[in-house]
Amino acid sequence: VSQHAMLLLGSTGLKERRLLGMVDSDPFKQTQHIGGLPIQEPQVLSDSTDCVLIAANPYREQILSQLDGLGFRGEVRTLI
């Protein structure tokens, strides 16, 4: 979870949305919570139809590829 994602949670109305959690590939982060939201492993999105917001724009293509490999079938939104 990037600092940018944490900034978005703290300074926008994003936190008031029905967020289920955050996703990060770093196993260390997967045991933590940010703003009451669990940080989970990417595999929770396997075969999911939820909406994903990619906040780590520098890794957008890598994340999209990973979502495709997981069989993610939901909507993907990016900040740009």
Side-chain angles (χ1 to χ4, degrees):
V1 176
S2 68
Q3 286 188 357
H4 186 71
M6 291 188 291
L7 177 66
L8 285 173
L9 277 176
S11 65
T12 68
L14 188 59
K15 191 173 180 181
E16 281 73 45
R17 301 291 184 184
R18 292 182 322 135
L19 299 177
L20 301 176
M22 303 183 89
V23 174
D24 199 293
S25 296
D26 183 344
F28 174 75
K29 292 179 182 177
Q30 293 166 7
T31 62
Q32 301 177 24
H33 287 73
I34 294 178
L37 296 170
I39 302 174
Q40 304 171 25
E41 64 182 11
Q43 286 73 14
V44 301
L45 298 171
S46 294
D47 298 318
S48 174
T49 57
D50 292 323
C51 180
V52 169
L53 172 65
I54 297 176
N57 285 326
Y59 302 101
R60 184 171 56 99
E61 292 303 319
Q62 179 182 348
I63 293 168
L64 289 170
S65 176
Q66 186 175 26
L67 288 171
D68 188 49
L70 289 169
F72 179 74
R73 298 174 287 130
E75 181 180 356
V76 177
R77 295 190 180 203
T78 60
L79 297 175
I80 55 169

